[in-house]
Amino acid sequence: MLSQQDMLEAERHGRQVRSIYVYEAPVRLWHWINALCMIVLAVTGYFIGKPLPTVPGDSTENFVMGYIRFAHFAAAYIFAIGLLGRIYWALVGNHHARQIFMLPITNKHWWSEVFFELRWYLFLEKTPKKYVGHNPMAQLMMFFFFTVLAVGMVLTGFALYSEGTGLGSWADTLFGWVIPALGGSLQVHNLHRLGMWIMMTFAVIHIYAAIREDIMSRQSLISTMVSGWRMFKD
């Protein structure tokens, strides 16, 4: 198993490195469960915000919106617990597990790499650079558009959930303060829904970037999140 420093050292001596173990099993498992939760939350959350106008049959025999709400709440619990587990693994896992939680914002070289990657994504650079974990631009985007946003979605989501569980419930005790802090229930609803659209937009961009890098940068991304190994194709 090679570290990023090992790879750089090998390249200096002209040796070709073809694979490096990057993402440990808990990170990979969390990634795919989290992706499934996001899909369920987005679809059910949309219908909760814009309920179906009608359903066929007698109302006493239908529980469509109830099932939709149950699926949303169940996925929310899994999403929140998974986020806590992912934070724990960032503390005990390898250094790649910490990338989406910690930004080296005081490192000038890191910022230069961020802007290089921006130019690369804008097709202004001809030759890509290779990274063992997330490239600096991906790390920056993951931090703001997933890590920070995910925390915000958990806070606003469980705050809205507390309205149903009632005053004095665990949800109200832990998250009830969010509603008055953000300006009321309607405002929290709007922010939660806006967060959903931002997260889904980022997910589409994330998938596009992963496929693009897999092809153009000659290094595996999608299969790396399955096997854990980053493959370099040159």
Side-chain angles (χ1 to χ4, degrees):
M1 186 188 305
L2 295 176
S3 66
Q4 187 167 13
Q5 186 62 37
D6 293 331
M7 186 184 75
L8 295 174
E9 187 65 25
E11 289 180 346
R12 291 192 194 100
H13 291 84
R15 298 194 302 273
Q16 190 176 45
V17 179
R18 294 193 177 276
S19 63
I20 298 176
Y21 189 68
V22 180
Y23 298 120
E24 298 162 299
V27 173
R28 304 196 308 272
L29 180 63
W30 167 82
H31 176 275
W32 296 112
I33 292 176
N34 190 69
L36 179 60
C37 285
M38 287 173 60
I39 294 172
V40 174
L41 286 166
V43 173
T44 56
Y46 178 83
F47 285 113
I48 290 173
K50 291 184 178 295
L52 297 169
T54 184
V55 292
D58 189 85
S59 60
T60 60
E61 299 177 354
N62 287 283
F63 195 59
V64 176
M65 288 306 302
Y67 290 130
I68 289 175
R69 283 168 56 84
F70 173 78
H72 190 80
F73 297 155
Y77 272 102
I78 297 172
F79 181 86
I81 294 170
L83 183 61
L84 291 175
R86 183 65 179 84
I87 293 172
Y88 167 76
W89 198 258
L91 299 174
V92 302
N94 64 20
H95 68 277
H96 299 297
R98 293 187 284 275
Q99 279 193 303
I100 66 171
F101 295 96
M102 298 176 62
L103 297 181
I105 57 175
T106 60
N107 189 322
K108 292 183 180 180
H109 176 70
W110 182 81
W111 281 109
S112 70
E113 295 289 288
V114 169
F115 289 113
F116 175 89
E117 288 301 307
L118 177 60
R119 295 193 300 274
W120 164 247
Y121 284 125
L122 293 175
F123 298 95
L124 300 177
E125 294 285 349
K126 294 182 179 180
T127 306
K129 294 184 179 181
K130 288 180 168 56
Y131 300 90
V132 176
H134 288 294
N135 69 57
M137 173 59 74
Q139 184 183 6
L140 181 67
M141 294 297 102
M142 285 293 292
F143 177 79
F144 284 108
F145 292 104
F146 176 76
T147 304
V148 174
L149 184 57
V151 172
M153 293 297 282
V154 169
L155 290 176
T156 55
F158 278 102
L160 295 172
Y161 182 69
S162 73
E163 292 184 309
T165 58
L167 294 174
S169 65
W170 70 267
D172 178 64
T173 301
L174 294 178
F175 302 99
W177 59 270
V178 175
I179 293 177
L182 294 181
S185 179
L186 180 59
Q187 183 69 0
V188 174
H189 272 278
N190 291 335
L191 290 173
H192 193 67
R193 195 168 183 81
L194 176 62
M196 181 268 288
W197 284 114
I198 294 174
M199 188 170 279
M200 288 300 99
T201 301
F202 174 70
V204 172
I205 296 172
H206 175 67
I207 294 169
Y208 159 74
I211 296 173
R212 179 182 185 271
E213 290 300 281
D214 227 317
I215 297 170
M216 298 182 65
S217 293
R218 306 293 295 163
Q219 55 186 322
S220 67
L221 270 80
I222 299 172
S223 62
T224 300
M225 198 49 75
V226 176
S227 68
W229 289 85
R230 171 67 45 83
M231 309 296 294
F232 298 93
K233 304 172 188 177
D234 290 340

